[in-house]
Amino acid sequence: MGGIRFGSERRNLAIELTGGRMRRRIVIVSDKMQRGYRYVLSAPAGRDFDPQFRPDLTPKQMLELGVFCGKYLTDCRDEFPASWFARAKLSPFGRDCLCNYFGVDASQSLSEWRRKGWMHPNDPRGWFQWYCRYYLGRRLPEEDTRQIGRWKAMRRHVSQIRKHCELCDPTCRPRQRQALLHWAYDSRRI
């Protein structure tokens, strides 16, 4: 049956199959920021998204392009598919914004995210962690609505780039373009 392989190990994932069809999948998280957190994957990976949520990029594509100064999900790879990390631009020693596609820092600190109330206990790493888990099939209706609303609010940056930049000019507003990449908008095409 094969199942789904997350990271290099299967021990954190329990899959129940009935008649060859997925019934439920439970992920148990144990990393530096969460211990014993469990969630159910109730939708097929990469499908059945809210109709208002149409990201340009998958988590794998974002990691391959270079986001979050190469320092995101580096201690919790077992939770996610190994293929996401095969070509990811990650920094082994700490934040290195040269890993970012546009080579600039476009992030705020975790403490700033907390101060602004952007964090949710289920996803202590923020929006991208939520997106990764949503992409895999976790659904939390209230939190999904909140995070999709935050994602939609980023469109204002798309409008600003379109207004002030030549089409596909990567040197125009690189911080805004990088920030959009952090939110699964493919700013290379704007």
Side-chain angles (χ1 to χ4, degrees), residues 29-97:
V29 179
S30 184
D31 61 37
K32 288 181 181 178
M33 294 185 79
Q34 281 183 310
R35 297 243 184 263
Y37 172 66
R38 298 170 160 248
Y39 62 89
V40 175
L41 301 178
S42 58
R47 297 197 324 246
D48 294 346
F49 284 14
D50 182 295
Q52 295 184 46
F53 184 54
R54 296 288 174 235
D56 297 331
L57 301 166
T58 67
K60 177 183 178 183
Q61 291 169 325
M62 292 171 66
L63 291 166
E64 288 176 357
L65 286 171
V67 289
F68 307 108
C69 296
K71 203 62 183 161
Y72 205 93
L73 304 180
T74 54
D75 72 311
C76 57
R77 289 185 185 192
D78 287 347
E79 182 181 344
F80 304 104
S83 64
W84 288 11
F85 299 96
R87 301 179 77 180
K89 291 185 179 169
L90 300 175
S91 174
F93 302 111
R95 287 173 43 89
D96 179 357
C97 294

Side-chain angles (χ1 to χ4, degrees), residues 10-184:
R10 291 172 170 259
R11 66 179 164 78
N12 287 342
L13 180 66
I15 301 174
E16 294 179 22
L17 297 171
T18 305
R21 298 189 70 200
M22 179 182 77
R23 187 170 174 207
R24 71 178 185 161
R25 296 176 287 169
I26 300 170
V27 178
I28 303 168
V29 179
S30 184
D31 61 37
K32 288 181 181 178
M33 294 185 79
Q34 281 183 310
R35 297 243 184 263
Y37 172 66
R38 298 170 160 248
Y39 62 89
V40 175
L41 301 178
S42 58
R47 297 197 324 246
D48 294 346
F49 284 14
D50 182 295
Q52 295 184 46
F53 184 54
R54 296 288 174 235
D56 297 331
L57 301 166
T58 67
K60 177 183 178 183
Q61 291 169 325
M62 292 171 66
L63 291 166
E64 288 176 357
L65 286 171
V67 289
F68 307 108
C69 296
K71 203 62 183 161
Y72 205 93
L73 304 180
T74 54
D75 72 311
C76 57
R77 289 185 185 192
D78 287 347
E79 182 181 344
F80 304 104
S83 64
W84 288 11
F85 299 96
R87 301 179 77 180
K89 291 185 179 169
L90 300 175
S91 174
F93 302 111
R95 287 173 43 89
D96 179 357
C97 294
L98 293 177
C99 292
N100 281 347
Y101 183 83
F102 291 97
V104 296
D105 188 0
S107 298
Q108 294 184 357
S109 68
L110 185 58
S111 61
E112 184 65 10
W113 297 349
R114 287 178 180 142
R115 188 184 72 73
K116 291 185 175 183
W118 294 340
M119 307 307 284
H120 187 277
N122 290 332
D123 302 310
R125 296 169 194 269
W127 184 87
F128 186 58
Q129 185 176 44
W130 168 84
Y131 177 42
C132 292
R133 291 171 173 175
Y134 186 88
Y135 186 89
L136 291 176
R138 182 189 72 176
R139 297 296 183 266
L140 303 172
E142 285 183 32
E143 181 60 6
D144 296 347
T145 298
R146 184 181 82 90
Q147 294 290 15
I148 291 168
R150 294 179 68 219
W151 173 80
K152 288 167 50 178
M154 287 299 292
R155 288 214 46 90
R156 65 186 161 83
H157 294 286
V158 172
S159 299
Q160 290 175 5
I161 290 172
R162 284 191 175 134
K163 181 178 179 181
H164 298 288
C165 300
E166 294 291 325
L167 184 63
C168 301
D169 176 4
T171 62
C172 183
R173 297 186 174 232
R175 284 195 60 184
Q176 259 182 324
R177 289 177 183 276
Q178 185 66 46
L180 284 167
L181 281 181
H182 292 181
W183 287 82

